[in-house]
Amino acid sequence: MSYEKFTILKSSAVPLPIENVDTDQIIPARFLKATERKGFGANLFRDWRYESDNTPKKDFVLNNEKFSGEILVGGKNFGSGSSREHAAWAIYDYGFRCVVSSFFADIFRNNCLNIGVLPVQVSPDFLKKIFFEIEKNPKIEFTIDLKEQKIIISDNNFSTEFFEINNYKKQNMINGFDDIDYLINIKPDIKKFANKMPL
Amino acid sequence: MNKTLFDKVWDKHVVHSIKNGPEVLFIDRHMVHEVTSPVAFLGLKKRDIKVMYPERTFATADHNTPTINQHLPVKDPLSANQLRALEENSKTYNISYWGLGHKKNGIVHVIGPEYGITLPGATIVCGDSHTSTHGAFGAIAFGIGTSEVEMVLSTQCIMQQKPKSMRINIDGSLSKGVTPKDVALYIISMLSTSGATGFFVEYSGDVFNQMSMEGRMTVCNLSIEMGARGGMIAPDHKTFKYIKGREFAPKGLKWNEAMKYWKTLFSDKGVKFDKEYHFHGKDIEPMITYGTNPGMGTSILKGIPKSNNIDGGGQTYKKSLEYMSFNEGDKMIGKKIDFVFLGSCTNGRIEDFRSFAAIVKGRKKAKNVTAWLVPGSHMVEKAIKDEGLLDVLKEAGFELREPGCSACLAMNEDKIPPGKYAVSTSNRNFEGRQGPGSRTLLASPLVAAAAAITGEVTDPRSFF
Ligand code: SF4
């Protein structure tokens, strides 16, 4: 299904300076029992966010009113582990439109792109700077400009970094198209191709 | 031009290349399970389209199924609902469905090879990251997300950027007591959980040549744990012998034709990989993990590394040890454990049960240990009984459960309680993976068996 278009996002960010955040943490397996894509945000980072009796854990960043925004900033190797797209759904459903890290796991990155969450990969130094600036001023604004492929911190010098994204995926995000639309359009070619492929 | 094994299979499946974009890859076989498929089927309904090639699509129920009393209705209403959804979707879209109670039911990556669905030179996907298992046959096999499941259901294609190539060579041979699981945990500990991100791995060298098909599946299965899209091994006489005669494998003339293609599936001499590693079999010992990702593994005889030896991740590392309630420098041998889990698509095949049984034979399970022995499929379960292993296990105080993913991801009732330690033959030791608050030590079936007997982390070689 097509999704919301993404061009420019201006927002403060939520910092999670932990490495190797795996998708089991983002959404634990016991919350994967739904048959519809609904309500996953409530269980985002469930076991880091809540005690077993459902009281919020004070020291977890999502429970800290100081931090808010549509950007989640994570440590290196974000989204490793299970292929569950539910992780990306939970991030989206909670209200994030963009995840920033210095390194993403492959499947997680694809899953994000497929549902309209923009993964922005920055250098380790820039990531450090982001965490540093948020710590100094939790409300500091970031600009994610997809057209220009830039992430800008509203610090004194407007520190900026360019990020990579595959051009096809970029156009999809900007226009809110998805891959299935594309594939359905070339179905006749696929059929011809399939005839040559033994079962 | 010289090509890698991966190139040969990939290039054969490219329908379309998009300039500066991904490639449209044709998928030969698509495995489906109950957890990652319902939203994809909903997408089909919304668009009012059919499954394009139901005959290339195979559905099973495994992630969410109970492993006792499978003949009774599923108690958890949400699980039952998901199982029902898959059954209905399979019916609506004409897909073969091997649900709970079906004699071919089992973990998706165990039954694929068992029924000859997995073939050399094929492209295989499933909404599960351990789809990499099927690479053991020289297939390109990888896990996908639900949007991609919807793509494959509706168009039999997926859009993918071609990954970079990596080869991992291990020469020599393995010492006694060292298993394919140890080989994989060793590699991941050397490369880290993100060491192969962006790559597709080929395993080569004597260690893999000598390895059984099931061992190769274990190794390829764990490729994802170092971040790789998948791993593969060139098919050889063992591969062909394994496949021949299986239900969905080609027969007669088709077999001969397939063999012609399969015999071309190897990396050409002199071909360059983007990255290459060399290890030696004799350096590998029985492994165990001590932390909360599969890269945090060590030889069972060694201690937990000091955080100042850990590159960059000091804070994350400490958080991890805190969760496990371990200290830097602790010895692993002798650590008390509470649970043992033998099973999963990593180590739930018949050879794994043979290894386990060989250790526990004539001994008794430790009283303080709860052991869950879960075969990967009904075919494995039947072999356990037919080979007399069940008697060996029973005599040692163990029970056998019914097939499924079970405590590998603890979506059903098989959850390790908070704070308890489990030696598990599965693939992930993430926080809470085996149940909220559970603590997992990943290891081979031999190490798991030794721990089940002594109630603590034990070198299985002391039982030989
Ligand atoms: S056994 Fe574990 S890793 Fe394998 S398919 Fe099941 S849940 Fe996934």
Side-chain angles (χ1 to χ4, degrees), chain B residues 94-364:
Chain B
N94 261 325
I95 298 166
S96 78
Y97 173 61
W98 302 345
L100 206 56
H102 192 288
K103 77 175 196 302
K104 292 179 193 163
N105 177 255
I107 304 174
V108 57
H109 311 309
V110 175
I111 60 177
E114 279 177 346
Y115 291 95
I117 296 167
T118 308
L119 297 176
T123 47
I124 302 170
V125 295
C126 171
D128 182 281
S129 53
H130 293 94
T131 309
S132 58
T133 313
H134 310 266
F137 292 79
I140 290 184
F142 54 89
I144 55 178
T146 297
S147 297
E148 294 169 313
V149 171
E150 188 181 338
M151 288 176 215
V152 182
L153 288 174
S154 53
T155 67
Q156 205 59 36
C157 285
I158 190 177
M159 311 209 30
Q160 288 285 301
Q161 196 103 26
K162 192 171 181 179
K164 287 180 281 185
S165 61
M166 178 186 287
R167 182 159 60 186
I168 297 176
N169 305 279
I170 308 189
D171 291 327
S173 48
L174 299 175
S175 323
K176 201 163 179 233
V178 178
T179 71
K181 179 65 164 288
D182 302 304
V183 173
L185 288 176
Y186 175 82
I187 298 172
I188 304 164
S189 76
M190 300 303 275
L191 268 71
S192 89
T193 46
S194 57
T197 303
F199 291 87
F200 212 98
V201 176
E202 179 179 344
Y203 299 97
S204 85
D206 289 342
V207 161
F208 303 108
N209 293 338
Q210 288 159 17
M211 210 176 262
S212 70
M213 284 315 292
E214 296 199 356
R216 293 176 188 179
M217 287 184 232
T218 301
V219 170
C220 288
N221 173 282
L222 288 161
S223 305
I224 179 78
E225 304 309 335
M226 50 184 177
R229 270 334 286 281
M232 64 202 300
I233 294 175
D236 61 7
H237 64 279
K238 274 189 217 172
T239 321
F240 308 139
K241 190 170 158 227
Y242 180 101
I243 297 167
K244 198 160 189 179
R246 294 193 187 249
E247 187 173 331
F248 289 87
K251 311 245 153 56
L253 278 179
K254 280 196 172 156
W255 172 266
N256 297 342
E257 225 168 87
M259 278 294 279
K260 248 200 260 158
Y261 167 48
W262 295 349
K263 285 190 168 161
T264 66
L265 298 175
F266 52 83
S267 287
D268 294 330
K269 263 216 172 78
V271 65
K272 260 200 83 56
F273 285 78
D274 295 316
K275 213 166 199 175
E276 199 143 6
Y277 287 94
H278 293 270
F279 300 109
H280 207 284
K282 71 173 185 326
D283 296 335
I284 308 175
E285 288 189 276
M287 297 284 294
I288 192 150
T289 66
Y290 54 84
T292 55
N293 74 52
M296 299 175 81
T298 174
S299 146
I300 195 166
L301 296 175
K302 287 202 185 134
I304 299 176
K306 295 260 164 66
S307 64
N308 53 12
N309 295 332
I310 300 295
D311 161 51
Q315 196 191 338
T316 308
Y317 184 76
K318 284 192 180 135
K319 178 177 184 296
S320 175
L321 291 191
E322 216 167 89
Y323 180 86
M324 295 299 291
S325 195
F326 287 161
N327 297 306
E328 297 176 24
D330 279 4
K331 276 210 170 58
M332 288 310 290
I333 291 278
K335 288 232 180 267
K336 290 266 175 288
I337 60 126
D338 312 290
F339 281 74
V340 164
F341 171 55
L342 173 67
S344 87
C345 59
T346 309
N347 283 125
R349 285 172 285 267
I350 187 62
E351 284 179 11
D352 303 312
F353 281 83
R354 285 186 200 135
S355 304
F356 191 95
I359 296 276
V360 304
K361 185 171 183 168
R363 301 192 165 93
K364 287 276 179 231

Side-chain angles (χ1 to χ4, degrees), chain A residues 1 35 178 180 184, chain B residues 37-50 89 93 146-147 150-151 153-154:
Chain A
M1 282 295 116
T35 51
D178 71 8
I180 305 186
I184 288 176
Chain B
S37 66
V39 173
F41 281 113
L42 270 188
L44 255 63
K45 249 168 237 153
K46 277 191 199 142
R47 289 175 202 263
D48 193 24
I49 44 181
K50 292 203 175 87
N89 285 323
Y93 295 102
T146 297
S147 297
E150 188 181 338
M151 288 176 215
L153 288 174
S154 53

